[in-house]
Amino acid sequence: GEPAACGGAVPDEAGSRVEQPGRERFARFRNLYESRDGSLCVFEDEHGHLVAVDASKLA
């Protein structure tokens, strides 16, 4: 068969491309809060999960 295309799309039984979750797929985050000094950020992912991040760790 054909190799899977980038982005996780693989052919199904009919030969159509079907999107499959995989390592190539990146999550989407929305910045909800940033502290006044910029040292802490809070993000929400596409599923509603919240993540606090030490901004000094962001490149």
Side-chain angles (χ1 to χ4, degrees):
E2 290 181 30
C6 291
V10 296
D12 66 4
E13 295 159 359
S16 302
R17 294 257 178 218
V18 177
E19 190 66 27
Q20 296 289 327
R23 292 184 185 184
E24 298 86 12
R25 187 172 163 263
F26 293 99
R28 294 180 187 186
F29 290 90
R30 183 170 61 128
N31 188 345
L32 296 179
Y33 171 80
E34 186 173 337
S35 64
R36 289 183 185 201
D37 64 0
S39 64
L40 177 72
C41 299
V42 177
F43 295 92
E44 178 183 30
D45 72 6
E46 59 198 22
H47 303 289
H49 300 123
L50 299 177
V51 178
V53 178
D54 178 356
S56 67
K57 305 293 184 202
L58 300 174

